Amino acid sequence: MTALEGMRVLDMTQYEAGTSCTQALAWLGADVVKIESPERGDPGRGPHGNSEYFILWNSNKRSIAIDLKSESGRQLFLDLVPKFDVFVENYGPGVVERLQIDYETLRTIKPDIIYGRIKGFGLTGPWSDYKCYDMVAQAVAGAFSITGEPEGPPMRPGPTMGDAGSGVQMALAICAAYIQKLNTGKGQLIELSMQEAMTYYLRTSMSGGQFGDRPARRSGNGQWAGSTLYRCLGDDQNDFVWIMAVTPKMFRTLCKTINRMDLIEDEHFRENRHLVKAEVEKWTVQRDKYEAMRILAEAGVPAGAVLSTKELHENTHLSSRGFVHEIEHPEIGKIKLLGMAARLSESEVPIRVAPMLGEHTEEVLNEELDIDGIELEELRTTGVI
């Protein structure tokens, strides 16, 4: 039995904030049925229907293609609702209301429905009608303001935490609501603002702001020799190692490991700490990033080689842990996917490839609504599915 076996999810999500939520639930064992438009499906699929972006965020789901703008399609959807525990959407403001599948509508036919809504700025407040994407959420949540060099402009962060970070928080909230439902029999509405969700990941960086009295500053890669980025042997743009000797004991171990105790003992370096980084780098540039990381880590100094996304998929440590999965895609062939970080000893869910558009329409309609044969063909001919 998997952790979320029995949880059934109707997934009307697109792009990433919603799809990351439902994928996390699917990876934990929930039955996730993704509802897509028959014309093009989730826009994240791209022009050819199976973009890498879509595949990365939609594994372990089933896909059904229903035209919710048609009365017949909407009715099919409403007939499916009582069979499921959870509904999740992250469309733009007003979309589910125009389709008349809002929370009040769904709870009349499924009183204990858990209804999850991810919006850029939430459902209330002066910005609630504004459209939002990941980097918009990160900008208004302060992430740009703390990223970049101290004297430079704000900078776009690399990870898409505004989207995926919001999705994972919604998944957590859904799991909590599901447990509450099992105990009380009651469903509920869950709304999540991407702007607010994103601030969760800034708390450490906010600690220099005196609880909001002043803005936290950008620090770039830092200037203190014990916690900064060092160039290593090689000419690749990622030939660096990050060293984080944050305590006096760790910094002493660092100096001992590279045979430079003078960096601590010599008065010249004690009085001119800005010179220490260059001296440490004389050691790192003679070693590749993996060797530098290994030597320091084995000595007890936290250090990490800067890995490219390509190197992640080839990393022997991740592969040995079963984090890199090789699966077959019906159009692309063999692909590598990175798995879920959390490992549950009593719940193992194999990763399945993201579905083709409408791949499971007939299967779901037959299983859930007993629709087949002539009725199914009529729905297909009229473009409802």
Side-chain angles (χ1 to χ4, degrees):
M1 180 175 180
T2 61
L4 293 183
E5 190 168 324
M7 179 192 281
R8 308 201 66 205
V9 181
L10 276 177
D11 171 5
M12 205 175 95
T13 65
Q14 59 176 348
Y15 293 118
E16 185 179 335
T19 57
S20 59
C21 165
T22 51
Q23 179 170 260
L25 296 173
W27 279 355
L28 290 168
D31 177 19
V32 176
V33 174
K34 186 176 178 73
I35 304 162
E36 302 186 72
S37 160
E39 294 177 4
R40 62 169 187 161
D42 180 340
R45 285 184 178 273
H48 303 296
N50 283 293
S51 68
E52 181 180 13
Y53 176 69
F54 177 84
I55 291 169
L56 291 175
W57 290 112
N58 288 280
S59 57
N60 288 56
K61 304 177 186 180
R62 295 191 285 171
S63 167
I64 62 174
I66 301 178
D67 181 8
L68 292 179
K69 294 179 181 178
S70 71
E71 190 53 44
S72 298
R74 179 175 175 273
Q75 190 56 54
L76 276 179
F77 167 78
L78 294 177
D79 290 343
L80 284 170
V81 168
K83 313 281 187 178
F84 290 79
D85 303 292
V86 180
F87 173 77
V88 187
E89 66 92 13
N90 70 309
Y91 276 70
V95 173
V96 296
E97 287 79 9
R98 288 194 295 274
L99 291 170
Q100 298 179 17
I101 56 171
D102 54 275
Y103 176 55
E104 293 304 322
T105 300
L106 266 56
R107 72 187 297 204
T108 61
I109 56 176
K110 174 72 172 172
D112 62 348
I113 190 78
I114 296 168
Y115 194 115
R117 308 194 67 182
I118 301 175
K119 294 287 172 276
F121 300 96
L123 299 177
T124 60
W127 291 357
S128 59
D129 288 336
Y130 295 176
K131 293 181 179 179
C132 186
Y133 287 97
D134 179 282
M135 290 303 158
V136 174
Q138 295 214 43
V140 296
F144 278 64
S145 76
I146 58 169
T147 306
E149 294 300 324
E151 304 306 320
M155 186 173 289
R156 176 189 186 275
T160 53
M161 292 177 292
D163 272 338
S166 297
V168 170
Q169 289 187 45
M170 175 58 82
L172 173 63
I174 288 171
C175 288
Y178 186 65
I179 293 172
Q180 188 173 13
K181 174 182 169 175
L182 294 178
N183 289 327
T184 67
K186 294 182 179 180
Q188 60 188 294
L189 172 68
I190 306 171
E191 66 122 339
L192 184 140
S193 153
M194 292 167 65
Q195 179 192 25
E196 293 169 8
M198 185 60 210
T199 64
Y200 182 81
Y201 305 102
L202 271 69
R203 289 169 190 256
T204 297
S205 300
M206 285 179 184
S207 63
Q210 296 299 306
F211 301 102
D213 282 348
R214 64 188 183 202
R217 296 181 59 81
R218 291 187 281 282
S219 59
N221 287 321
Q223 301 303 312
W224 179 52
S227 184
T228 191
L229 196 65
Y230 286 94
R231 163 66 70 181
C232 290
L233 184 66
D235 54 9
D236 186 84
Q237 61 181 356
N238 292 307
D239 281 328
F240 287 85
V241 64
W242 181 272
I243 298 175
M244 203 161 182
V246 295
T247 67
K249 182 180 178 181
M250 286 179 183
F251 188 69
R252 186 174 186 84
T253 303
L254 167 63
C255 295
K256 182 179 180 181
T257 303
I258 67 173
N259 199 27
R260 289 297 306 271
M261 292 301 291
D262 59 313
L263 299 179
I264 295 175
E265 297 165 353
D266 192 315
E267 187 177 341
H268 174 68
F269 289 117
R270 287 205 305 270
E271 293 179 357
N272 298 278
R273 292 178 65 85
H274 63 283
L275 301 177
V276 175
K277 182 181 184 298
E279 298 302 311
V280 174
E281 197 159 75
K282 289 178 181 178
W283 181 86
T284 61
V285 295
Q286 297 179 50
R287 295 156 179 82
D288 69 45
K289 60 188 179 185
Y290 293 104
E291 183 187 11
M293 174 183 174
R294 179 186 59 77
I295 293 171
L296 294 173
E298 288 178 356
V301 179
V306 175
L307 301 188
S308 70
T309 56
K310 181 177 185 293
E311 288 171 313
L312 279 177
H313 289 78
E314 301 165 346
N315 185 254
T316 53
H317 175 73
L318 295 179
S319 296
S320 71
R321 286 175 49 77
F323 186 69
V324 182
H325 301 260
E326 268 202 9
I327 57 177
E328 191 78 24
H329 188 278
E331 285 191 349
I332 302 170
K334 241 176 211 175
I335 58 174
K336 286 183 179 180
L337 292 178
L338 304 182
M340 187 175 192
R343 316 293 173 86
L344 284 68
S345 65
E346 300 300 320
S347 175
E348 184 176 348
V349 181
I351 286 192
R352 303 192 313 270
V353 72
M356 307 292 283
L357 175 59
E359 180 180 343
H360 304 94
T361 303
E362 294 184 15
E363 174 184 293
V364 172
L365 293 183
N366 181 252
E367 287 177 0
E368 306 299 336
L369 304 178
D370 201 27
I371 294 175
D372 58 12
I374 296 174
E375 190 177 359
L376 201 61
E377 187 58 37
E378 185 178 341
L379 291 170
R380 191 182 296 107
T381 302
T382 56
V384 175
I385 61 174

